[in-house]
mmCIF file of all heavy atoms in Angstrom:
data_model
loop_
_atom_site.group_PDB
_atom_site.id
_atom_site.type_symbol
_atom_site.label_atom_id
_atom_site.label_comp_id
_atom_site.label_asym_id
_atom_site.label_seq_id
_atom_site.Cartn_x
_atom_site.Cartn_y
_atom_site.Cartn_z
ATOM 1 N N ALA A 111 57.083 117.088 50.732
ATOM 2 C CA ALA A 111 56.755 116.424 51.954
ATOM 3 C C ALA A 111 55.372 116.838 52.470
ATOM 4 O O ALA A 111 54.904 116.184 53.475
ATOM 5 C CB ALA A 111 57.803 116.797 53.053
ATOM 6 N N LEU A 112 54.663 117.848 51.830
ATOM 7 C CA LEU A 112 53.465 118.246 52.392
ATOM 8 C C LEU A 112 52.168 117.432 52.082
ATOM 9 O O LEU A 112 51.549 117.107 52.913
ATOM 10 C CB LEU A 112 53.158 119.707 51.854
ATOM 11 C CG LEU A 112 54.151 120.787 52.418
ATOM 12 C CD1 LEU A 112 53.894 122.088 51.648
ATOM 13 C CD2 LEU A 112 53.943 120.892 53.798
ATOM 14 N N PRO A 113 51.953 117.048 50.828
ATOM 15 C CA PRO A 113 50.804 116.108 50.655
ATOM 16 C C PRO A 113 50.889 114.746 51.204
ATOM 17 O O PRO A 113 51.976 114.220 51.332
ATOM 18 C CB PRO A 113 50.795 115.974 49.011
ATOM 19 C CG PRO A 113 51.624 117.138 48.507
ATOM 20 C CD PRO A 113 52.673 117.399 49.436
ATOM 21 N N ILE A 114 49.772 114.181 51.402
ATOM 22 C CA ILE A 114 49.749 112.789 52.003
ATOM 23 C C ILE A 114 50.115 111.924 50.718
ATOM 24 O O ILE A 114 49.455 111.868 49.884
ATOM 25 C CB ILE A 114 48.315 112.390 52.590
ATOM 26 C CG1 ILE A 114 48.296 113.326 53.934
ATOM 27 C CG2 ILE A 114 48.355 110.895 52.944
ATOM 28 C CD1 ILE A 114 46.732 113.249 54.406
ATOM 29 N N LYS A 115 51.175 111.063 51.087
ATOM 30 C CA LYS A 115 51.468 110.100 49.928
ATOM 31 C C LYS A 115 50.791 108.766 50.204
ATOM 32 O O LYS A 115 50.986 108.119 51.239
ATOM 33 C CB LYS A 115 53.006 110.035 49.877
ATOM 34 C CG LYS A 115 53.434 109.161 48.628
ATOM 35 C CD LYS A 115 54.926 109.474 48.373
ATOM 36 C CE LYS A 115 55.315 108.840 47.058
ATOM 37 N NZ LYS A 115 55.589 107.448 47.247
ATOM 38 N N MET A 116 49.970 108.350 49.287
ATOM 39 C CA MET A 116 48.944 107.375 49.443
ATOM 40 C C MET A 116 49.636 106.013 49.791
ATOM 41 O O MET A 116 48.916 105.076 50.212
ATOM 42 C CB MET A 116 48.041 107.130 48.241
ATOM 43 C CG MET A 116 47.156 108.408 48.101
ATOM 44 S SD MET A 116 48.048 109.872 47.485
ATOM 45 C CE MET A 116 48.336 109.432 45.788
ATOM 46 N N ASP A 117 50.831 105.735 49.429
ATOM 47 C CA ASP A 117 51.432 104.393 49.665
ATOM 48 C C ASP A 117 52.379 104.445 50.978
ATOM 49 O O ASP A 117 53.128 103.612 51.201
ATOM 50 C CB ASP A 117 52.268 103.869 48.430
ATOM 51 C CG ASP A 117 53.386 104.879 47.993
ATOM 52 O OD1 ASP A 117 53.364 106.077 48.307
ATOM 53 O OD2 ASP A 117 54.370 104.259 47.338
ATOM 54 N N GLU A 118 52.382 105.667 51.630
ATOM 55 C CA GLU A 118 53.263 105.722 52.791
ATOM 56 C C GLU A 118 52.394 105.942 54.040
ATOM 57 O O GLU A 118 52.809 105.677 55.133
ATOM 58 C CB GLU A 118 54.279 106.774 52.615
ATOM 59 C CG GLU A 118 55.381 106.530 51.557
ATOM 60 C CD GLU A 118 56.333 107.699 51.367
ATOM 61 O OE1 GLU A 118 56.196 108.667 51.959
ATOM 62 O OE2 GLU A 118 57.279 107.379 50.529
ATOM 63 N N GLU A 119 51.294 106.851 53.874
ATOM 64 C CA GLU A 119 50.459 107.207 55.086
ATOM 65 C C GLU A 119 49.082 106.618 54.770
ATOM 66 O O GLU A 119 48.651 106.588 53.774
ATOM 67 C CB GLU A 119 50.461 108.672 55.149
ATOM 68 C CG GLU A 119 51.904 109.321 55.406
ATOM 69 C CD GLU A 119 51.778 110.920 55.380
ATOM 70 O OE1 GLU A 119 51.191 111.382 56.474
ATOM 71 O OE2 GLU A 119 52.185 111.539 54.582
ATOM 72 N N ASP A 120 48.539 106.364 56.022
ATOM 73 C CA ASP A 120 47.145 105.977 55.948
ATOM 74 C C ASP A 120 46.383 107.136 56.639
ATOM 75 O O ASP A 120 46.442 107.330 57.864
ATOM 76 C CB ASP A 120 46.827 104.652 56.698
ATOM 77 C CG ASP A 120 45.480 104.018 56.434
ATOM 78 O OD1 ASP A 120 44.907 104.600 55.661
ATOM 79 O OD2 ASP A 120 45.216 103.021 57.205
ATOM 80 N N PRO A 121 45.623 108.003 55.831
ATOM 81 C CA PRO A 121 45.073 109.141 56.425
ATOM 82 C C PRO A 121 43.977 109.088 57.395
ATOM 83 O O PRO A 121 43.657 109.886 58.106
ATOM 84 C CB PRO A 121 44.664 109.997 55.120
ATOM 85 C CG PRO A 121 44.548 108.899 54.102
ATOM 86 C CD PRO A 121 45.470 107.836 54.404
ATOM 87 N N ILE A 122 43.205 107.932 57.187
ATOM 88 C CA ILE A 122 41.953 107.894 58.117
ATOM 89 C C ILE A 122 41.868 106.442 58.790
ATOM 90 O O ILE A 122 42.232 105.581 58.238
ATOM 91 C CB ILE A 122 40.726 108.110 57.158
ATOM 92 C CG1 ILE A 122 40.745 109.478 56.641
ATOM 93 C CG2 ILE A 122 39.464 107.928 58.111
ATOM 94 C CD1 ILE A 122 39.679 109.738 55.708
ATOM 95 N N THR A 123 41.468 106.608 59.998
ATOM 96 C CA THR A 123 41.184 105.276 60.690
ATOM 97 C C THR A 123 39.566 105.334 61.193
ATOM 98 O O THR A 123 39.126 106.474 61.364
ATOM 99 C CB THR A 123 42.040 104.994 62.034
ATOM 100 O OG1 THR A 123 41.765 106.141 62.822
ATOM 101 C CG2 THR A 123 43.490 104.954 61.657
ATOM 102 N N PHE A 124 39.112 104.219 61.180
ATOM 103 C CA PHE A 124 37.736 104.163 61.595
ATOM 104 C C PHE A 124 37.704 103.402 62.883
ATOM 105 O O PHE A 124 37.901 102.301 62.959
ATOM 106 C CB PHE A 124 36.795 103.406 60.512
ATOM 107 C CG PHE A 124 36.736 104.190 59.145
ATOM 108 C CD1 PHE A 124 37.649 104.084 58.119
ATOM 109 C CD2 PHE A 124 35.585 105.025 58.926
ATOM 110 C CE1 PHE A 124 37.610 104.724 56.946
ATOM 111 C CE2 PHE A 124 35.535 105.694 57.725
ATOM 112 C CZ PHE A 124 36.539 105.546 56.826
ATOM 113 N N SER A 125 37.101 104.196 63.930
ATOM 114 C CA SER A 125 37.019 103.587 65.144
ATOM 115 C C SER A 125 35.721 102.876 65.426
ATOM 116 O O SER A 125 35.657 102.076 66.287
ATOM 117 C CB SER A 125 37.161 104.742 66.211
ATOM 118 O OG SER A 125 36.163 105.721 66.118
ATOM 119 N N SER A 126 34.704 103.136 64.753
ATOM 120 C CA SER A 126 33.392 102.423 64.737
ATOM 121 C C SER A 126 32.725 102.647 63.443
ATOM 122 O O SER A 126 33.241 103.286 62.532
ATOM 123 C CB SER A 126 32.570 102.912 65.932
ATOM 124 O OG SER A 126 32.137 104.208 65.737
ATOM 125 N N LEU A 127 31.479 102.077 63.428
ATOM 126 C CA LEU A 127 30.744 102.398 62.116
ATOM 127 C C LEU A 127 30.301 103.806 61.876
ATOM 128 O O LEU A 127 30.073 104.193 60.915
ATOM 129 C CB LEU A 127 29.514 101.469 62.139
ATOM 130 C CG LEU A 127 29.713 99.875 61.937
ATOM 131 C CD1 LEU A 127 28.439 99.254 62.104
ATOM 132 C CD2 LEU A 127 30.359 99.641 60.685
ATOM 133 N N SER A 128 30.460 104.597 63.161
ATOM 134 C CA SER A 128 30.002 105.935 62.934
ATOM 135 C C SER A 128 30.957 106.967 63.222
ATOM 136 O O SER A 128 30.573 108.109 63.159
ATOM 137 C CB SER A 128 28.748 106.112 63.907
ATOM 138 O OG SER A 128 29.174 106.015 65.182
ATOM 139 N N ALA A 129 32.336 106.633 63.350
ATOM 140 C CA ALA A 129 33.199 107.611 63.714
ATOM 141 C C ALA A 129 34.543 107.479 62.791
ATOM 142 O O ALA A 129 34.894 106.303 62.599
ATOM 143 C CB ALA A 129 33.642 107.705 65.145
ATOM 144 N N MET A 130 35.106 108.528 62.373
ATOM 145 C CA MET A 130 36.394 108.418 61.716
ATOM 146 C C MET A 130 37.244 109.541 62.146
ATOM 147 O O MET A 130 36.850 110.593 62.560
ATOM 148 C CB MET A 130 36.175 108.308 60.229
ATOM 149 C CG MET A 130 35.736 109.635 59.690
ATOM 150 S SD MET A 130 35.499 109.462 57.837
ATOM 151 C CE MET A 130 34.993 111.078 57.405
ATOM 152 N N ALA A 131 38.507 109.415 62.028
ATOM 153 C CA ALA A 131 39.500 110.405 62.512
ATOM 154 C C ALA A 131 40.771 110.136 61.818
ATOM 155 O O ALA A 131 41.002 108.888 61.154
ATOM 156 C CB ALA A 131 39.758 110.239 63.982
ATOM 157 N N PRO A 132 41.687 111.114 61.686
ATOM 158 C CA PRO A 132 43.028 110.922 61.081
ATOM 159 C C PRO A 132 43.799 109.658 61.829
ATOM 160 O O PRO A 132 43.540 109.687 63.036
ATOM 161 C CB PRO A 132 43.742 112.162 61.139
ATOM 162 C CG PRO A 132 42.979 113.091 61.994
ATOM 163 C CD PRO A 132 41.573 112.403 62.293
ATOM 164 N N SER A 133 44.450 108.926 61.109
ATOM 165 C CA SER A 133 45.288 108.019 61.778
ATOM 166 C C SER A 133 46.294 108.494 62.688
ATOM 167 O O SER A 133 46.721 109.692 62.440
ATOM 168 C CB SER A 133 45.911 106.909 60.752
ATOM 169 O OG SER A 133 46.906 107.591 60.097
ATOM 170 N N PRO A 134 46.860 107.919 63.791
ATOM 171 C CA PRO A 134 47.806 108.602 64.575
ATOM 172 C C PRO A 134 49.045 109.005 63.804
ATOM 173 O O PRO A 134 49.609 110.158 64.033
ATOM 174 C CB PRO A 134 48.213 107.445 65.546
ATOM 175 C CG PRO A 134 47.020 106.602 65.646
ATOM 176 C CD PRO A 134 46.372 106.598 64.259
#
Side-chain angles (χ1 to χ4, degrees):
L112 292 175
I114 294 171
K115 192 156 182 285
M116 296 74 72
D117 61 336
E118 293 176 1
E119 299 180 69
D120 195 3
I122 299 173
T123 58
F124 293 88
S125 58
S126 71
L127 290 177
S128 64
M130 65 181 183
S133 67

